[in-house]
Amino acid sequence: MIIDVHTHCFDNVIAKKAISVLSKKSGIPAHTDGTVSDLIRSMDESHIDISVIQPIATKPKQTEVINRWGTSINNERIISFGTIHPEYPNWKSEIRYLASCKVKGIKFHPDYQEFFVDDPKLFPIYEEVFSHNMIALFHAGIDIGLPEPCHCTPKGLRNIVRTFKGARIIAAHMGGCGLWNEVEKYLVGEDIYFDTSYTSHALDLDFMTRIIKNHGVDQILFGTDSPWGNQDSEVEFIRSLHLNDEDKDKILGKNAIKVLGLQL
């Protein structure tokens, strides 16, 4: 089974505009049209069984709308995380609503949402998320479509991991896009998961394999960042790593089954 833990989709009404704006801002062409139906087409072509959508509320008022859409699209092949904007005033009740809907986790994007990952002001929100046994997935490292500063550095994430011991935390982009030397310094060996999204073009096989082996293959989750990553080529990248087949299977799906608590 192959599970992509890091994808993006939008409501059909706004998908075309959202993809156009984001593609222009980042300079990255999209591999789907941003709809759930086109993601499933990509999944079928890539032999991916389940994709996890990681929504982002870039404004407080978007929080409820995005979460209601996310809970409406869940099915046997699509799992949507929730989103909480830190400035959304009813964040506690919204997290409880998402937990009642059995949403697996919350996606945070410190750059788009303009907060530093280890700012203590966010700790009550994290505490509420973790109290419901939900996962926190962070965009980690540099976002090429946004200016400095980087709001989620490997060192900042280490502070979170050590503050919230035992929590399930996923650092996207192998712990920190464009900051992988810092990932090795601050995060490798810590109690945190890395997803592989948007790294195949930037990390060579030897460096990627070294991080995986030093961090522990059980802590690595397959992700593509679709539509910004091509699901088929990302699967092939994982299959090309200098690892045995059992370890590749863990990364491609077995680890995600455990982390997400799937009953398959």
Side-chain angles (χ1 to χ4, degrees):
M1 175 164 283
I2 300 178
I3 300 175
D4 184 347
V5 303
H6 192 142
T7 68
H8 299 284
C9 284
F10 307 90
D11 187 292
N12 290 352
V13 175
I14 66 168
K16 183 177 180 180
K17 180 179 180 181
I19 289 294
S20 176
V21 170
L22 291 169
S23 184
K24 183 177 180 180
K25 180 181 289 188
S26 65
I28 304 170
H31 295 277
T32 78
D33 66 8
T35 63
V36 173
S37 60
D38 205 35
L39 173 61
I40 292 175
R41 171 204 54 82
S42 173
M43 292 164 62
D44 289 341
E45 293 177 357
S46 310
H47 305 290
I48 290 173
D49 299 278
I50 296 172
S51 283
V52 183
I53 294 174
Q54 301 293 346
I56 306 164
T58 58
K59 298 177 182 178
K61 66 181 181 181
Q62 296 174 343
T63 301
E64 284 189 33
V65 174
I66 292 175
N67 286 333
R68 300 308 176 275
W69 171 77
T71 56
S72 75
I73 62 172
N74 286 320
N75 58 45
E76 68 278 1
R77 299 195 67 193
I78 297 294
I79 296 172
S80 180
F81 271 29
T83 181
I84 295 292
H85 194 289
E87 295 180 13
Y88 174 69
N90 300 319
W91 55 264
K92 183 172 287 189
S93 61
E94 188 67 9
I95 292 170
R96 292 177 178 177
Y97 163 77
L98 293 170
S100 73
C101 294
K102 302 190 183 308
V103 171
K104 302 290 185 181
I106 305 293
K107 164 68 182 287
F108 294 98
H109 198 307
D111 289 324
Y112 271 107
Q113 296 176 320
E114 297 184 332
F115 68 92
F116 287 97
V117 67
D118 56 348
D119 186 338
K121 292 180 181 179
L122 274 291
F123 286 12
I125 297 177
Y126 299 158
E127 288 172 357
E128 188 68 27
V129 170
F130 298 139
S131 74
H132 292 284
N133 197 32
M134 298 171 78
I135 302 162
L137 185 148
F138 294 93
H139 166 87
I142 298 166
D143 188 301
I144 61 177
L146 295 173
E148 294 182 345
C150 172
H151 290 80
C152 187
T153 63
K155 187 176 182 180
L157 273 173
R158 187 184 66 177
N159 293 339
I160 295 302
V161 170
R162 293 184 176 182
T163 300
F164 298 95
K165 294 180 179 179
R168 287 181 297 165
I169 300 170
I170 303 172
H173 317 303
M174 288 302 290
C177 185
L179 301 176
W180 293 293
N181 289 328
E182 293 183 31
V183 170
E184 286 197 293
K185 180 177 180 180
Y186 294 110
L187 285 181
V188 165
E190 296 286 339
D191 184 17
I192 188 171
Y193 295 91
F194 299 159
D195 82 32
T196 66
S197 62
Y198 211 71
T199 53
S200 64
H201 69 289
L203 295 179
D204 63 42
L205 292 177
D206 290 336
F207 191 84
M208 182 80 157
T209 303
R210 185 174 81 226
I211 290 179
I212 291 171
K213 288 184 175 179
N214 289 339
H215 189 55
V217 70
D218 291 340
Q219 300 293 104
I220 309 298
L221 306 169
F222 174 63
T224 67
D225 213 9
S226 174
W228 315 116
N230 179 282
Q231 287 188 309
D232 188 57
S233 62
E234 295 297 326
V235 170
E236 291 308 309
F237 176 68
I238 299 301
R239 294 202 188 281
S240 71
L241 292 172
H242 305 316
L243 300 169
N244 61 46
D245 288 343
E246 181 181 354
D247 286 346
K248 292 174 186 177
D249 287 343
K250 285 183 177 182
I251 294 170
L252 286 170
K254 289 182 178 179
N255 291 341
I257 291 172
K258 293 179 181 179
V259 174
L260 297 170
L262 300 181
Q263 302 295 322
L264 301 174

